[in-house]
Amino acid sequence: QQPYVWRKKSMKDWFGALAGFTMIELVVVMGVIVLLTSIGAAGYNGFNDTQKLKQTGLTLKNNLRVAQTKAIAASKPSSGCTTLMGYVATFTANGYAINPQCTDGVIDDPTTVTFSAGVTFSPVPSSFFFTTLTGRISVSTDRTLMLIGLSKKYTLIVHPNGDIDDSGLAAL
């Protein structure tokens, strides 16, 4: 019996005559990787746009609730306001402002929000204000606040009694 002699195995010993990949195989694999990456990126962008719209809607609802709470508590600004009448919400296509409304006029102490790109009001809602001590809004009909994103909408409805319904996200 011969003693075992260790020798280094070559690629040919391990894999036979076909060691490595052809150029076509490498190109196909790279193509599949690029395709899967682009599908993932597109899905992430859609998810990101949806979350941006949802966060904008929730921030709007929260700011309206804060204005309503300040109106109910008759929390007036520290200066320039003799008698607080309520808090007025005014809207533009790409944002809104909430200011105290006093007998002296609208006090320039706003909570102003400008939406991120791709989010707008459609249509732009008309102004209303939350009245002091009651929290009701100053109009007799519902106000629909519809935020439009790239592929979805987010709807809030403010009722005359001050209730705010959150319809949430829906497809356009």
Side-chain angles (χ1 to χ4, degrees):
Q1 190 178 39
Q2 290 186 359
Y4 179 77
V5 177
W6 185 83
R7 71 178 175 101
K8 186 175 177 184
K9 293 193 178 224
S10 68
M11 289 288 271
K12 188 174 180 182
D13 292 336
W14 286 103
F15 298 107
L18 302 175
F21 300 100
T22 66
M23 184 60 111
I24 290 179
E25 290 171 331
L26 292 174
V27 168
V28 167
V29 168
M30 292 303 294
V32 169
I33 290 171
V34 167
L35 179 67
L36 292 175
T37 302
S38 64
I39 290 171
Y44 176 75
N45 286 339
F47 171 78
N48 197 28
D49 291 339
T50 298
Q51 292 305 308
K52 186 185 335 177
L53 178 62
K54 182 177 180 182
Q55 186 58 48
T56 301
L58 291 173
T59 301
L60 171 59
K61 180 180 176 183
N62 184 56
N63 285 341
L64 290 174
R65 286 279 185 221
V66 168
Q68 184 181 36
T69 301
K70 284 183 175 182
I72 290 170
S75 175
K76 65 181 185 175
S78 57
S79 64
C81 184
T82 306
T83 305
L84 181 69
M85 296 171 53
Y87 279 79
V88 64
T90 55
F91 305 94
T92 63
N94 61 349
Y96 59 93
I98 299 174
N99 288 318
Q101 171 85 36
C102 299
T103 52
D104 311 331
V106 175
I107 304 301
D108 191 27
D109 181 24
T111 297
T112 304
V113 175
T114 302
F115 301 145
S116 53
V119 178
T120 60
F121 278 118
S122 181
V124 176
S126 55
S127 299
F128 61 85
F129 73 89
F130 291 102
T131 57
T132 305
L133 302 178
T134 66
R136 299 175 64 84
I137 63 171
S138 60
V139 294
S140 59
T141 58
D142 292 346
R143 293 294 176 176
T144 301
L145 310 175
M146 188 179 309
L147 295 166
I148 303 295
L150 295 176
S151 62
K152 297 190 180 197
K153 63 183 177 178
Y154 194 97
T155 306
L156 295 173
I157 300 171
V158 183
H159 300 285
N161 66 359
D163 288 343
I164 301 173
D165 287 338
D166 186 345
S167 301
L169 288 168
L172 285 177

